[in-house]
Amino acid sequence: MRIDILTVVPELLDSPLNESILKRAQNVGLVEIHIHNLRDYTEDKHRRVDDYPFGGDAGMVIRVEPVFNAVNHLKSHREYDEIIYTSPDGEKYTQREANRLSTLKNIIILCGHYKGIDHRIREHLITKEISIGDYVLTGGELAAAVITDSIVRIVPGAIGDETSALTDSFQDGLLAPPVYTRPADFNGWKVPDILLSGNFAKIKKWQEDLSVERTRILRPDLLKE
Ligand code: ADE
């Protein structure tokens, strides 16, 4: 899988996408993540990618030209399954959408910009708009990092223990059960006896029951879905 991210602040994406599981997934060739500076795609001699909005509002707007050039350049090398724009206006991001995106071959993520991007980009180039929640970030880079992280970690082979992504919260529409590690007794704070019983069938049943119970208490909306 290949993910191309277009941004005016590439520095914001460096570290979150190059550590831990994402770093390993790239090193072993499971995914390619390419971060592109939109300023590299403008013919403006000062490398400016934004301009004043028509109508006289405050703030700056990303121009069509650099985005058009960047997307065309990428498309001339391969086909893209989805061209995503990160924006609070977009469809609310879910695990289900992360699962779907993880099955695609090539995607572009265009990071939003404080004031916005020329609307013609959204009309003519973007195939999907995604919001990571009902709050406003300074730009779309952190949203792009969230989306990329959630996709890459479920690409088969990205997580060492193949089964562990499948037991995540949300993967089956339920929250994950609690987990514990040694010591079994920390100053009187005890691990549930069942987990020390060695009876794996009973442990599994206990985990499933707690998943449902925790979902019912903490996120009853998930059960309705
Ligand atoms: N850009 C600014 N706020 C955002 C959000 N909530 N989701 C996605 N992109 C954004």
Side-chain angles (χ1 to χ4, degrees):
M1 166 173 215
R2 176 177 167 125
I3 303 175
D4 288 278
I5 304 179
L6 308 179
T7 169
V8 284
V9 205
E11 301 79 10
L12 269 175
L13 288 160
D14 267 354
S15 147
L17 302 183
N18 287 304
E19 297 296 336
S20 179
I21 289 169
L22 274 76
K23 179 177 177 180
R24 192 181 147 269
Q26 292 173 85
N27 286 346
V28 300
L30 289 174
V31 284
E32 280 182 42
I33 302 174
H34 298 269
I35 300 167
H36 307 269
N37 190 337
L38 270 180
R39 294 179 209 285
D40 294 337
Y41 293 91
T42 177
E43 274 137 49
D44 182 272
K45 61 176 188 292
H46 302 296
R47 305 207 334 135
R48 284 189 50 178
V49 293
D50 54 8
D51 209 333
Y52 295 99
F54 282 124
D57 269 345
M60 302 296 273
V61 175
I62 296 270
R63 292 185 293 113
V64 179
E65 180 241 3
V67 179
F68 181 81
N69 289 347
V71 169
N72 264 6
H73 170 77
L74 292 171
K75 277 184 172 172
S76 70
H77 288 89
R78 66 198 67 78
E79 270 185 31
Y80 282 88
D81 305 299
E82 208 76 92
I83 303 180
I84 296 164
Y85 173 56
T86 56
S87 155
D89 308 355
E91 187 179 302
K92 186 90 70 75
Y93 195 55
T94 60
Q95 184 63 46
R96 183 178 301 154
E97 179 63 2
N99 293 349
R100 186 186 76 83
L101 293 176
S102 77
T103 66
L104 303 182
K105 197 157 182 301
N106 301 312
I107 62 176
I108 294 173
I109 306 178
L110 169 64
C111 300
H113 189 60
Y114 3 92
K115 180 68 190 177
I117 60 173
D118 190 307
H119 201 71
R120 289 166 291 184
I121 297 168
R122 297 166 76 168
E123 286 172 338
H124 298 287
L125 296 175
I126 298 300
T127 61
K128 174 115 208 164
E129 303 202 355
I130 293 179
S131 161
I132 61 162
D134 286 341
Y135 43 80
V136 181
L137 304 166
T138 52
E141 284 73 17
L142 297 181
V146 165
I147 293 165
T148 304
D149 183 292
S150 66
I151 294 172
V152 172
R153 65 185 294 286
I154 50 177
V155 168
I159 295 188
D161 174 0
E162 284 281 340
T163 59
S164 82
L166 297 174
T167 58
D168 289 340
S169 278
F170 296 109
Q171 199 50 265
D172 51 7
L174 295 173
L175 302 186
V179 292
Y180 301 85
T181 188
R182 285 179 288 185
D185 184 340
F186 178 81
N187 297 345
W189 297 352
K190 294 207 171 102
V191 167
D193 287 339
I194 181 87
L195 292 176
L196 311 174
S197 70
N199 184 333
F200 291 107
K202 274 199 172 153
I203 291 173
K204 191 150 193 327
K205 168 90 172 51
W206 177 87
Q207 288 171 329
E208 284 167 1
D209 288 349
L210 268 180
S211 261
V212 174
E213 184 63 2
R214 279 169 55 76
T215 310
R216 194 180 59 72
I217 294 167
L218 298 171
R219 291 293 306 274
D221 54 304
L222 292 177
L223 291 179
K224 278 189 212 113
E225 282 170 23

